[in-house]
Each structure stands twice: as structure tokens, then as C-alpha cells.
Amino acid sequence: MSTPAAAAQRAPVPMVVVGGYLGAGKTTLLNRLLERADGLRVAVLVNDFGEINIDAALIRTRSSDVLQLENGCICCSIGGRLAEALAAVGARPDRPDLLVIEASGVSDPVRIAQVGLLDPALQLNAILVAVDVQDVDEQLCDPLVGDMVRRQISGATALVLTKADLAGACATEKVAARVAGMAPGAVVLAARHGEIPLAVFIDAAASPRRPQGLLQAGGSWKSQAGNMAGMADVGSFSYATRRCFDRQRLRQALRTLPVPLLRAKGIVRLGGQDSVQEVHVVGGRLRIASLHGARVSESVFVFIGCFTAMGREAILRCLEGALAAP
């Protein structure tokens, strides 16, 4: 895999794992993403259950940057090959702006994400699981596949309800409530003709070949508030303070946020430490690491998800409670 020293010199590649049971609509979601990528360079790694990778052939009609792995469960029988393929992406001289992994319908997307997180050249943005509104109840009750489908859903950071137009509003609402209970930390969205907000995959305000990570040229902070990708159900808001955070209280606050979110990221100053820290939160997974060379006068966060006014206030209260003593 990429060495830590080499990875530190460049911003990591955002990675999204797309999972879901057979026929849930994963390839449709990917193709819709590729159709409206707006200049983003998207690399897609596709695994199919069989010797002939049909999904890769379908996606290749819309993207020239497709890697494929065949023959079974991506997270067990070809785990080593997956790690090698991901390392190759991270080692490219000209990295993509986004890496999307389409898992086979019988694999565990969380385990795939864990393989990717071993490489410092990659950064997890989401574990997206497609849920077929018409068939999910039957799948969950199936003694052969029910546990696997339940495991896929429970590990998601974003659940995308597909075929909702065919199932109807009432059935969709019931499924949404059921799967939200199985993955309480996940954002639940309904796909609209196979389309979901681009912010589920990558920051909507990000432009191709952007400068290093969260900091723009000159060291200033830029964020986008309000709705993203033209869809009011996904938005972002920011928080800034000149006070430092207490490291332990901040960890606890970010791990116990009372509102589901897609992800959060920040650049913060910690009490008693000279180095600035970068913070990333995805689906309850938290990473805090030193951001060498950064100079900031305040701590800043951006939260991305589906927020009500009460949800924003709850998050802000958590952050205020994590501040170090003046």
C-alpha cells in the first residue's frame, strides 16, 4: 500500500463503498452519478459474483476509469486483490477526485471499507447501502439471506431507498422507518429516478484538482451552507470558534452526536497542543490527526447531512460542551 510519508504529501482520495443486496439498484445509482459528475474524475472499482463482470461492462459505457474484480465476495475470497487494487489507485501520479467501490450483492460493505482504510491514501466518505423498497421485507425474513441483508443495512452511513416510485409512498415510509431503526446513525434518502444528492458521495462545493484537503490557498477556510446538489433534504452548516477544544470531550461529543449525518470534517486547535488537528467523522467512525504546516486562528467544522433546526442546535450544544476551559 501507499507509504504514510507519501500519503501525507497529498490529500487522500475520498472513497465511497456502495453495497446492497442483489438487484437493489447499485449500478443504476453509480451510472446516475457518472452522468452528472460535473468534471470530477471518478474511478470505479466493481466486483460481480461470477466469472463475467456484467456490472463493470455496464458502468464502462459511462466511465473509462473502471477496475474490475470477479468471482465472488469482494471482502473474503479476493480480499488481497482488493487491497492491491486500492493501493494502485492511491499510488497514481494523478489521483482521481473520487473512488467508488461497488460491492457484490452478497458482500459486507463495512469489511470492504475497513480494507480501504488501511491505506492512508484513501479516506472514507460514506458506506452507502441501496435498499429495494419492494423486496426488502421479504429479504429480511428469508432464513438464508436475512442476516446478510440486515448486516449490510446496519453498517451503512447512508441508506438509499430504491424503487420507491413503484412501491408507493405508504410502503416507502414504512420501509424507511424500519431500516432507520436498524441503522440509527445513518441518513435515509429516497432515490429519485436513481438519483441522489452528489453530496452523498463528495463535497458539492469541492472542485476538481482542489488544493490540499480542507485548507484552500492562503490558509483560509471556505465552506458551503444551505442545500447541496439542488436538493433541500441534504445540506451543510458550519461552526467556528476561537477557543480550543478539549481532546477527550471532543472525541466523546463526536462519537455520540444525537443527529444522523453523512459526515463531518474540521480543523481544530486542542488545549495544551501546538499542532493543529484535522478531524473526520463518518458514520460514527472518528479520526483525529495532526495537520502539519497548518496555521489557523480558530477551530472550524462543517457538518453534512439532513438537518432540522433542532438537529443543528443539538450538534452545536455538543460542540460547546467539548470546549476547553478558557
Side-chain angles (χ1 to χ4, degrees), residues 3 57 309:
T3 64

Side-chain angles (χ1 to χ4, degrees), residues 79-283:
R81 291 171 55 205
L82 169 63
E84 293 172 0
L86 296 180
V89 173
R92 291 181 181 181
D94 192 16
R95 291 177 178 173
D97 297 301
L98 174 66
L99 170 65
V100 182
I101 305 172
E102 184 193 357
S104 77
V106 294
S107 61
D108 183 350
V110 172
R111 291 183 62 186
I112 296 168
Q114 290 170 342
V115 173
L117 288 174
L118 295 175
D119 194 328
L122 304 175
Q123 176 180 292
L124 181 65
N125 262 18
I127 300 174
L128 185 158
V129 174
V131 177
D132 185 333
V133 175
Q134 287 187 304
D135 295 336
V136 68
D137 286 334
E138 182 178 347
Q139 293 165 357
L140 289 169
C141 294
D142 190 311
L144 296 178
V145 304
D147 287 343
M148 177 178 57
V149 174
R150 192 171 292 104
R151 186 166 59 251
Q152 291 175 343
I153 293 172
S154 64
T157 66
L159 292 166
V160 179
L161 307 183
T162 62
K163 307 177 187 178
D165 53 330
L166 301 176
C170 183
T172 301
E173 289 177 5
K174 290 181 179 178
V175 169
R178 183 174 185 182
V179 297
M182 296 166 61
V187 171
V188 181
L189 302 168
R192 303 173 184 178
H193 306 292
E195 184 171 320
I196 57 177
L198 190 62
V200 177
F201 293 93
I202 198 167
D203 296 350
S207 59
R209 297 172 178 81
R210 58 191 181 281
Q212 303 175 30
L214 303 176
L215 288 176
Q216 304 293 329
S220 63
W221 175 272
K222 295 183 180 180
S223 64
Q224 176 172 319
N227 74 19
M228 305 177 76
M231 303 184 75
D233 53 357
V234 175
S236 72
F237 73 94
S238 60
Y239 169 88
T241 178
R242 290 189 174 272
R243 291 176 58 184
C244 295
F245 283 96
D246 177 89
R247 187 183 189 96
Q248 294 305 318
R249 288 206 294 268
L250 181 61
R251 281 185 172 274
Q252 179 65 16
L254 294 176
R255 282 179 169 150
T256 57
L257 288 174
V259 178
L261 73 156
L262 287 169
R263 57 188 173 274
K265 54 179 64 179
I267 297 176
V268 302
R269 298 163 58 229
L270 299 178
Q273 290 190 221
D274 293 331
S275 62
V276 175
Q277 307 290 306
E278 62 174 313
V279 182
H280 298 272
V281 183
V282 178

Side-chain angles (χ1 to χ4, degrees), residues 6-77:
Q9 296 176 1
R10 296 189 287 171
V13 178
M15 175 182 68
V16 175
V17 180
V18 179
Y21 191 60
L22 299 167
K26 300 184 294 297
T27 302
T28 299
L29 292 174
L30 273 179
N31 280 331
R32 292 293 291 146
L33 163 69
L34 294 171
E35 288 171 1
R36 57 191 187 88
D38 297 329
L40 290 172
R41 296 167 299 165
V42 183
V44 183
L45 192 154
V46 183
N47 171 237
D48 212 351
F49 196 79
E51 295 181 357
I52 300 177
N53 200 323
I54 298 298
D55 282 356
L58 295 173
I59 292 172
R60 190 171 283 109
T61 63
R62 292 174 173 83
S63 173
S64 59
D65 196 356
V66 179
L67 302 86
Q68 62 186 74
L69 297 172
E70 296 89 7
N71 282 320
C73 176
I74 196 172
C75 60
C76 48
S77 64

